[in-house]
Amino acid sequence: MRVPPVPANLDRAASWAWRLLACGAAAAVVLALLWYVRVIVLPSMIALTIAPALTPVARLLRRSGLRRPAAAVALLFGFAVVAGLVTIVTASVLAQYDELAESVESATEDVIDRLEDEPFNLSLDQSTDLDASLRDSWGSISGYLVRGLETGASLIAGILLAIPLLYFVLRDGPALWSWILRRFAPENRPSADRAGRHAWMLLAGFVRGTALIAAIDALFIGIGLWLLDVPLAFALAVLVFLGAFVPYVGAFFTGLLAVLVAFADGGWEIALAALAIVVAVQFVEGTFLQPIIQSRTVDLHPAVILLAVAGGASLFGILGAYLAVPVTAVVFAIVASVGEESAATEDAAPVAVAGVPSHAQD
């Protein structure tokens, strides 16, 4: 019995299907390995994303004569900037803590009164119901606290590992890259070098572009909160700046925090005005500024960025959300560089005429 031939379209679809399955299985294996060694992977990624921001500082110090301590001084400069931002937020909160606590208590009582009145008609006993709710939720809260302590310990361990890695990248960056290139075959080293340099330039551009966008968000939101006389306006602007380094998600949550503080201090009217300011700034930034700035630094579609942030957050939490965009951009840059190299090699190869060897055409 003769078997009918397989249609060409079905044969082509089947060939693509098994290739896609193989690529998916390889990606799953890579992700599983990364998750298994995340204690090493995450600090390394953090160090590599921070290094482009501090490399110009180290280079400037070397040009000024501080050659050996340049990496250490640049690292201390980065610590000073982060510590300064954290100190600003902490000092502002402590200075206005009593006032803010009274505002939060007053706003809570106002919300409860509104819920007990028409049209909600809810019965909320602030003492009995709150105590009962706290007792019922203590078991789950304690579990969250334990997991939070474990996450905090892992975060501290990762930071302690990322700091020396960042120092070595700042100190021995070119030598470290040369050592990595020597692991490749001689014929593949030029391609790997070009791909790595392209990825590094793109990563540096991403850091600069993100910092510029974060500064613009923080400036205009901070000015709006200051004009509304919202407490902690400057500290909230600093939080917006830090949160903007996590695309979409970070800016949303820090903006929501600013709205909540505005509601606690000034009520619904001030909260709605703060919400309008946050939404307007985010709209202008997301619609005009970010495409213009990021198009010059990271050639990624906003949908790809959003999916990358969601995937990174689901795998590695907040750090994954922060690292998702630069890692995705670097991977795309390396793949594009390798593809361009392959295309250039094929175009440069001599085309053989039928029946004549390629070397005989010259």
Side-chain angles (χ1 to χ4, degrees):
M1 180 178 178
R2 183 180 179 183
V3 179
V6 179
N9 291 334
L10 180 59
D11 182 66
R12 189 179 300 112
S15 63
W16 275 105
W18 73 259
R19 289 185 176 92
L20 291 176
L21 289 175
C23 292
V29 171
V30 170
L31 290 176
L33 291 176
L34 291 177
W35 174 255
Y36 184 74
V37 295
R38 61 188 181 277
V39 178
I40 301 174
V41 172
L42 289 179
S44 302
M45 290 181 178
I46 292 173
L48 290 177
T49 54
I50 299 176
L54 297 179
T55 298
V57 179
R59 187 182 300 117
L60 181 62
L61 291 173
R62 290 189 180 95
R63 290 176 180 174
S64 63
L66 296 174
R67 300 192 62 84
R68 292 184 64 85
V73 174
L75 189 60
L76 291 176
F77 173 78
F79 281 143
V81 172
V82 175
L85 295 177
V86 174
T87 302
I88 290 173
V89 175
T90 304
S92 300
V93 172
L94 292 178
Q96 304 184 39
Y97 177 78
D98 294 335
E99 176 186 354
L100 188 61
E102 294 178 358
S103 300
V104 170
E105 183 179 358
S106 176
T108 303
E109 293 177 354
D110 179 64
V111 171
I112 292 175
D113 292 339
R114 289 176 181 270
L115 293 176
E116 289 180 340
D117 293 337
E118 297 289 342
F120 301 103
N121 293 324
L122 297 177
S123 177
L124 299 176
D125 188 345
Q126 298 183 38
S127 60
T128 305
D129 293 346
L130 182 59
D131 292 340
S133 299
L134 290 176
R135 285 194 302 269
D136 293 339
S137 60
W138 173 248
S140 58
I141 292 176
S142 60
Y144 288 132
L145 289 176
V146 171
R147 287 192 291 271
L149 290 175
E150 293 176 352
T151 303
S154 300
L155 180 61
I156 293 174
I159 293 175
L160 292 177
L161 181 59
I163 291 173
L165 288 175
L166 178 58
Y167 170 74
F168 287 124
V169 171
L170 294 175
R171 192 191 70 173
D172 304 322
L176 181 61
W177 178 240
S178 299
W179 180 85
I180 293 174
L181 286 178
R182 288 195 295 271
R183 309 282 76 81
F184 290 88
E187 62 273 13
N188 295 328
R189 288 174 188 171
S191 300
D193 186 36
R194 280 189 289 270
R197 294 182 183 277
H198 184 199
W200 180 262
M201 292 176 59
L202 188 145
L203 186 59
F206 167 80
V207 173
R208 291 194 299 268
T210 303
L212 179 59
I213 294 172
I216 293 173
D217 285 351
L219 175 64
F220 286 101
I221 291 178
I223 291 175
L225 296 176
W226 176 70
L227 292 176
L228 293 176
D229 198 22
V230 175
L232 307 176
F234 189 63
L236 290 171
V238 173
L239 288 178
V240 170
F241 174 79
L242 296 175
F245 281 88
V246 180
Y248 301 111
V249 181
F252 171 77
F253 281 108
T254 52
L256 180 61
L257 179 61
V259 174
L260 292 176
V261 173
F263 167 73
D265 181 72
W268 293 104
E269 294 81 4
I270 300 298
L272 290 176
L275 179 62
I277 292 173
V278 171
V279 171
V281 171
Q282 293 296 323
F283 175 77
V284 173
E285 176 257 313
T287 306
F288 301 102
L289 294 179
Q290 189 172 24
I292 294 175
I293 295 174
Q294 294 289 28
S295 64
R296 301 175 182 270
T297 58
V298 182
D299 189 17
L300 291 179
H301 192 275
V304 176
I305 295 177
L306 187 59
L307 292 175
V309 171
S314 63
L315 289 175
F316 302 111
I318 297 177
L319 288 178
Y322 162 70
L323 296 171
V325 176
V327 170
T328 303
V330 166
V331 171
F332 273 65
I334 293 175
V335 172
S337 180
V338 173
E340 293 174 359
E341 185 74 19
S342 301
T345 303
E346 292 177 359
D347 293 339
V351 180
V353 180
V356 181
S358 58
H359 65 274
Q361 297 178 31
D362 298 334

